[in-house]
Every structure is written in C-alpha cells, then in structure tokens.
Amino acid sequence: MDKLRSMEIFVAVVDSGSFTAASEAFNISPVMVGKHVRELEERLGTRLLTRTTRRQNLTEIGRQYVERCRQILADIAAAESGAEAMRTSPRGLLTISAPVSFGSQLMAPAIADYLSLYPEVSLDLNLNDRVVDLVEDGIDVAVRIGKLDDSALVARPLQPYRMLICASPDYLARAGTPLKPEDLASHQCLDFMHWSKEVRWKLAATGDRQVDVPASRFRSNNGQALRMVALRGYGIVMQAEILLGDDVRAGRLVSLLEDYAPPPRPTHLVYLRDRQPTPKLATFIDFMLERFGAKHGANSQEKSTTKSMTKSEAKKKPAG
C-alpha cells in the first residue's frame, strides 16, 4: 500500500475518532481503513492504536507518530502548493547565461525593467563567452551567438550580432587609415582570445581567407578591455557594435572598413524543451523577444546612427 496514503488515513482515523468516519472521508470501506492502519503498524513493528468494540486510543508511540505524520503531510501540501503557485504566476529564481558584451550592454539594463514588472522573480545573470551546458550548469535560458549545434534546445531568433572595426582618431592620425583589408597587415590589430578560427579577422569580401594581420601585442578574453586599449590609441579593434557603437557616435572611435566588416552573426535565445514552461521562464522569453527579437528594430545596432569615416575622408590620410 502507498505509505503516504496510509498516513493520511491514519490521521483521519485519529481526528474523526472512528474507522467508519475515516472510510466515509476517503470513500473506502471501514475494512480497507483497518488494512491501512495495520500496514503502518506492521512496518513500524508496534501498535499505534488500542481498539475495543466501543472506542480506540492512541498508544504512546501512536501519539508521537501521528504528530510526525501531520507534519509530513503538511510539508507535502506546502510543496505542492508552492509548485502550483510557480506554475500559475511568475515567481522564483531564473538563471540566465549570456556572452559578456551582449549581457552587460543590452541585457543588464533591460533586466531591471523585467524585475520591476515581476516582483516575485529573482534573477542570476552569468556572463561568460564560452558555450555553457544548460543542464549541467543549471541554466534556465541562454543567449548564443553564431551557428547553433544543439538541436535538442528550443531556439528563438534575436537581432543579428553586428561587428565594427574601429580605431581612435589619435591612432589613425599616427598610423594612417586602412582602406582595404590588406592594409591591416601594417597595423596593430587587437585580438580577442575567444575567437574561433572561423571568426578571427575574417572579413567580408575576402571569402574564406583570413586577413593576414601581425601577431597582436595585446590580446584579451574581454571585449571591454580591448575597447579601452583602442580608446587609448593603441590599435584597431573589432568588436560588437553594441560595445563600440556609442564610442563611434561620440567620435571617440572611428568606424573603419565598413564595406568589409564581417557579416552579422545569428543570435538566439535558447532553452530546454518543456511542455509547460514555468511562468517565470515564459514571461522572460516573451520579454526578451519583445526587446531584442529578430522582428524588432535594433535600437543600439542601427548602422545609420554610427559616425564613420567615409572613403573620401579616409583618402586624406595615408595608410601606415
């Protein structure tokens, strides 16, 4: 017999005072009520009730056991109630993984708005440029940039991830302005350590051939660090528009080789398949698609707002 069911029936016998009343509560026969109580007694190896034809009394062990049963059943009811509540309204902890630049520049400001909308949801944002395993790392939802390999995940498209090639005005005044990819061979190009072979300085209009650039004297696994070095006039940086766009618009950096910039990379919101996603996950997915979905305009990635150096302007400065 089911142990929890037997506990429920035993508590009902104690509370109602008789096997008959308990049988009516559970819509079973008094004989079946007796079987449940005897099953518990046999498991425990002791009597829980002393029974006569007129009344029944709890034994000392029975009094202790019934109180523990009440607590166990109350805990189970509370757990089920909590689970049901999490299925009916957004609440609980949501764990998210995103690339560093995307997460810090786009997601973090938006997350503040999401948390204001859903005050019973807490959120952990893990920023990492490696691809995480959602199951192994306990991630509810992740942002992935580039080609997707894991078909077991649900993938919702976000705005494409655009790259800019930039340098500071001071650097260009000192080293000259590259007009074509081959000119980068004579420049200090800042390397991102997490680039795969398919990405590293592979520009549009060069086919599968990577641009021949000298070994960088500065490399980093963090786009923000590369940006800061570029702003100090040390070299040419290629990073996401979401990271460099504000600097270009403010004139702190100059956009270069726009006709050769790498093609935008696909970006997706991915999560595990679930027939009934929790409200916290469902609302966050809807929120992200509303803010950053592929069908919506990319406020922070509109190329028309960037201040770039035209070819006619660039010709005024010799390539280093």
Side-chain angles (χ1 to χ4, degrees), residues 274-289:
D274 190 338
R275 291 181 181 179
Q276 270 190 306
T278 59
K280 65 180 180 181
L281 177 59
T283 54
F284 185 77
I285 292 168
D286 290 343
F287 176 85
M288 286 290 292
L289 293 176

Side-chain angles (χ1 to χ4, degrees), residues 71-318:
Q71 184 61 54
I72 290 169
L73 295 173
D75 289 344
I76 292 172
E80 291 177 342
S81 177
E84 178 62 24
M86 293 184 71
R87 280 288 182 187
T88 56
S89 63
R91 64 179 63 194
L93 176 64
L94 193 64
T95 304
I96 302 165
S97 173
V100 176
S101 293
F102 188 98
S104 60
Q105 299 296 119
L106 290 185
M107 286 186 72
I111 281 171
D113 296 335
Y114 174 82
L115 293 175
S116 296
L117 289 172
Y118 302 102
E120 293 187 85
V121 177
S122 300
L123 197 148
D124 284 354
L125 176 61
N126 298 316
L127 300 182
N128 198 313
D129 287 317
R130 70 179 179 86
V131 176
V132 299
D133 185 303
L134 269 64
V135 175
E136 183 176 330
D137 295 317
I139 303 297
D140 294 304
V141 61
V143 173
R144 289 192 176 167
I145 298 171
K147 182 181 177 182
L148 293 178
D149 296 321
D150 194 342
S151 60
L153 300 175
V154 179
R156 307 292 295 274
L158 302 178
Q159 298 160 12
Y161 196 72
R162 296 183 174 89
M163 303 290 284
L164 290 180
I165 303 169
C166 298
S168 72
D170 287 346
Y171 174 85
L172 296 174
R174 185 175 69 255
T177 300
L179 301 179
K180 55 186 183 298
E182 290 74 15
D183 293 342
L184 294 175
S186 60
H187 282 271
Q188 185 61 242
C189 296
L190 309 175
D191 263 356
F192 184 60
M193 293 170 63
H194 283 170
W195 274 340
S196 65
K197 292 181 179 179
E198 292 76 19
V199 175
R200 184 182 183 273
W201 294 101
K202 183 178 288 186
L203 307 185
T206 62
D208 292 331
R209 181 174 57 83
Q210 288 184 350
V211 177
D212 184 18
V213 298
S216 178
R217 291 182 59 205
F218 180 75
R219 300 190 307 150
S220 177
N221 64 349
N222 182 273
Q224 188 67 252
L226 294 170
R227 168 182 170 267
M228 295 303 296
V229 171
L231 286 170
R232 294 299 295 264
Y234 184 72
I236 296 176
V237 63
M238 182 167 69
Q239 278 293 305
E241 186 170 2
I242 58 175
L243 181 62
L244 304 180
D246 286 346
D247 294 318
V248 173
R249 286 184 283 274
R252 294 185 293 268
L253 293 176
V254 177
S255 181
L256 306 168
L257 300 172
E258 288 193 343
D259 292 340
Y260 302 98
R265 299 165 66 195
T267 305
H268 293 88
L269 194 68
V270 299
Y271 49 95
L272 296 170
R273 298 182 184 277
D274 190 338
R275 291 181 181 179
Q276 270 190 306
T278 59
K280 65 180 180 181
L281 177 59
T283 54
F284 185 77
I285 292 168
D286 290 343
F287 176 85
M288 286 290 292
L289 293 176
E290 179 64 28
R291 287 291 181 96
F292 309 116
K295 294 182 180 180
H296 295 273
N299 294 332
S300 62
Q301 301 193 73
E302 293 177 355
K303 296 191 70 175
S304 61
T305 64
T306 62
K307 178 182 178 182
S308 62
M309 178 175 287
T310 64
K311 288 185 177 180
S312 60
E313 292 172 330
K315 288 179 180 178
K316 296 178 183 178
K317 297 181 181 291

